Amino acid sequence: MNKRLIGYWIATALTAFVFLVGGACDVARPYFIVEEMEALGYPLYFPLILGTWKILGGIAVLLPGTRRLKEWAYAGITFNLT
C-alpha cells in the first residue's frame, strides 16, 4: 500500500474519531459542556446542533465513494477548528 494512502487514512481516522467523540459529548451535554456554553453566551440547544453536525461530519469523512460529501465535511471541520 502506498505510504501516502496510509498517511491519509491515519489522519482521516484520527479526525473522524475526534469529531465523533466530541459530537457525542456535545449531544450528551454533560455539566462542563453546559457551563462552557453558558460562559460563552450560547443558548443551551446549541451543543445539540453542533454535536449532531460533528457526528455527521465524522461519519461523512469515513464513507467511501462520496467525494462531494467529503469535501463539504472537511470544509465544515475546518470552519469548526478555526
Side-chain angles (χ1 to χ4, degrees):
M1 193 180 272
N2 190 353
K3 288 184 181 183
R4 281 191 203 168
L5 190 59
I6 293 171
Y8 166 79
W9 279 110
I10 289 172
T12 299
L14 289 173
T15 301
F17 175 76
V18 167
F19 272 80
L20 289 170
V21 170
C25 191
D26 285 343
V27 168
R29 288 188 273 187
Y31 72 92
F32 58 89
I33 295 291
V34 172
E35 287 177 356
E36 189 170 329
M37 289 294 161
E38 286 177 343
L40 292 171
Y42 292 122
L44 293 180
Y45 61 84
F46 189 68
L48 181 63
I49 295 169
L50 186 62
T52 302
W53 284 109
K54 282 181 181 181
I55 292 170
L56 291 173
I59 292 169
V61 297
L62 293 175
L63 290 176
T66 55
R67 185 175 179 186
R68 183 66 52 118
L69 183 62
K70 281 185 185 193
E71 288 177 10
W72 282 98
Y74 277 121
I77 287 170
T78 302
F79 297 151
N80 184 269
L81 292 175
T82 55

